[in-house]
Amino acid sequence: MDQADVHNQSSTEFCSSTLQTAIPQNKYLSQILQAREERAAIQRMLLKQQGTAVITFTMNIPGPEKNAWWISRCFEDGINNLYSVLRGMQIECMRIRTTAAGPEAFFRIPAGIDPLEVKKCTALYEQTYPVGRWFDIDVIRQDGRPITRAEAGFGERQCFLCHEDAKVCGRSRRHTADELYAYTKKTITAFLERKNPCLTA
């Protein structure tokens, strides 16, 4: 499933060709869980190899479909803008892959850059960008501990539909997966079409 590693990518434009891979069609939960375990293993490997903090960029998409065309386009747009958000921090893209859990990108944070400052920037990005609520950007310290939103001075993620605490909504099953997925698809595709009126699936 892995694509070739991407090294020394500092341009603000993200090469869309890196997303042109065969997308897994099996939607079983076990494959999604396996992909997440592999993601954690890659994080550990990069932390050990690079000796600095790491960013992981994924998509927060409800439901079993993690690789629709509009998800990949939104992921690409998110990475393009991440370079601008973290301008001057010289982050380096180390690996991109597409899995049953969706597209993933891994970035190295250079030595001398405070991971907490990076987290503050990425949390603000998630909160203020039009589709940032569907970005899941983890900043992981060199010792393997992820920096929480609370540490960066931000509250818990809100539900897409009712804006209450997303964890509370999830536990109570206040909304169905179909409702959340439909809203997600509608919002993201509308955003993409506004950026590019000629966009088609």
Side-chain angles (χ1 to χ4, degrees):
M1 293 182 186
D2 285 0
Q3 294 178 294
D5 289 2
V6 179
H7 297 288
N8 301 321
Q9 183 167 355
S10 58
S11 168
T12 56
E13 287 302 316
F14 175 72
C15 180
S16 62
S17 65
T18 56
L19 296 177
Q20 303 306 311
T21 58
I23 296 175
Q25 297 300 311
N26 194 322
K27 305 299 192 298
Y28 290 116
L29 178 60
S30 61
Q31 286 199 317
I32 294 176
L33 295 176
Q34 176 63 32
R36 290 174 179 170
E37 290 177 2
E38 292 171 358
R39 181 194 308 163
I42 292 172
Q43 290 169 338
R44 291 191 296 269
M45 178 190 70
L46 291 176
L47 288 168
K48 182 177 181 180
Q49 288 181 348
Q50 302 301 322
T52 61
V54 167
I55 300 170
T56 303
F57 190 114
T58 59
M59 296 292 294
N60 182 24
I61 305 295
E65 175 54 79
K66 308 294 186 184
N67 288 293
W69 70 269
W70 50 272
I71 298 172
S72 295
R73 293 287 183 88
C74 188
F75 174 77
E76 179 181 345
D77 179 80
I79 290 180
N80 284 341
N81 284 283
L82 181 66
Y83 283 110
S84 297
V85 169
L86 300 180
R87 183 181 289 114
M89 294 187 180
Q90 299 179 325
I91 62 170
E92 179 183 1
C93 186
M94 304 303 296
R95 177 172 295 192
I96 297 166
R97 67 183 205 141
T98 301
T99 77
E104 304 174 350
F106 302 84
F107 299 84
R108 173 183 178 271
I109 300 173
I113 299 295
D114 184 355
L116 180 58
E117 292 304 311
V118 176
K119 181 64 178 182
K120 289 178 180 178
C121 291
T122 58
L124 182 62
Y125 179 36
E126 291 173 341
Q127 189 161 304
T128 59
Y129 196 63
V131 290
R133 297 164 67 196
W134 286 275
F135 299 158
D136 194 354
I137 309 173
D138 290 331
V139 178
I140 306 169
R141 298 181 179 92
Q142 188 177 352
D143 62 7
R145 293 183 299 125
I147 301 175
T148 66
R149 288 174 60 86
E151 288 178 88
F154 290 81
E156 296 292 339
R157 286 180 176 270
Q158 295 180 335
C159 170
F160 297 135
L161 295 177
C162 69
H163 307 295
E164 297 295 332
D165 187 315
K167 292 180 180 178
V168 174
C169 278
R171 285 194 294 266
S172 66
R173 299 182 182 275
R174 182 177 298 173
H175 315 291
T176 67
D178 286 345
E179 289 175 323
L180 292 166
Y181 183 82
Y183 178 77
T184 293
K185 182 178 181 180
K186 178 182 177 180
T187 305
I188 292 179
T189 55
F191 166 77
L192 294 171
E193 288 164 1
R194 285 195 301 273
K195 293 198 72 172
N196 182 359
C198 298
L199 184 65
T200 57

